[in-house]
Amino acid sequence: MKKVIAIYPGSFDPPTNGHLDLIARGSKIFDELIVAILRNPEKNPLFGVAQRRHMLEALTSGFRNVRVDTFDGLTVDYAIRVNASAILRGIRAISDYEYELQMALMNRKLHPELETVFMMPAEKYSYLSSRLVREVGRLGGSIEGLVPEMVEQKLKEKLDPAVKFKDASKSKAVKSRSR
Ligand code: PNS
């Protein structure tokens, strides 16, 4: 039987619990799900593509049928290249719908054989976006519970490099005490 491959394209800057919720849902209905990070030189991302890839690989390592990749150019061209027959996108609220519909129809115009599949993340993530996570993090608000712990830590390090230094010296102190 034909394997159904889907891509889940996005910026993932940074990955949130909403993204992971969608990956978990997508992995249940597709044989293979490729989380595809857009390499967009025009945007000025907070995390580089390699960092986002590393985070997503670590966060999805428990899913047997999920892998992470990067792409540039048209999403539909990438989808065809990896033999995908579906594009997975999340819809959080009705406000997402207009933009997502426009993209889905344009993608259908470009490649009619590709289907866009919309899934809803858990309601508790319906207000969550990478943009808000970046903003709240930058302004010192708590992002606990909105992103995986690994992302929270990386975000803290990114926004305040002293955190990395503090944590490194803390673990050094613990090591020397335990010697
Ligand atoms: O996470 P995002 O930023 O909402 O993802 C948007 C993304 C990457 C899916 C969209 O910008 C995209 O598909 N970009 C690739 C270029 C492309 O195919 N453009 C035409 C879309 S109709």
Side-chain angles (χ1 to χ4, degrees), residues 21-22 25 89-92 118-122:
D21 181 277
L22 214 75
R25 289 172 200 279
R89 289 288 290 172
I91 291 211
R92 293 160 297 191
F118 292 128
M119 292 184 86
M120 282 98 50

Side-chain angles (χ1 to χ4, degrees), residues 58-75:
L59 296 167
T60 58
S61 62
F63 298 101
R64 200 184 27 82
N65 60 342
V66 175
R67 68 180 176 90
V68 182
D69 196 7
T70 65
F71 75 103
D72 53 18
L74 285 175
T75 294

Side-chain angles (χ1 to χ4, degrees), residues 8-13 19 36-40 43 71-77 87-89 92 99-100 102-108 110 130:
Y8 177 30
S11 307
F12 306 103
D13 185 32
H19 292 131
I37 308 165
L38 176 68
R39 295 193 300 267
N40 187 351
K43 272 198 182 174
F71 75 103
D72 53 18
L74 285 175
T75 294
V76 286
D77 288 344
I87 299 174
L88 174 65
R89 289 288 290 172
R92 293 160 297 191
Y99 169 64
E100 293 296 336
Q102 227 180 354
M103 268 209 303
L105 294 179
M106 178 58 86
N107 285 336
R108 179 183 283 168
L110 295 167
S130 296

Side-chain angles (χ1 to χ4, degrees), residues 4-8 26 30-35 83-88:
V4 182
I5 303 174
I7 62 162
Y8 177 30
F30 297 111
D31 295 311
E32 186 181 347
L33 181 64
I34 306 171
V35 180
N83 293 320
S85 47
I87 299 174
L88 174 65

Side-chain angles (χ1 to χ4, degrees), residues 135-154:
E135 187 170 317
V136 172
R138 193 175 283 139
L139 298 173
S142 170
I143 49 164
E144 204 186 318
L146 304 182
V147 293
E149 261 176 50
M150 176 197 210
V151 175
E152 196 179 340
Q153 179 64 22
K154 296 264 179 239

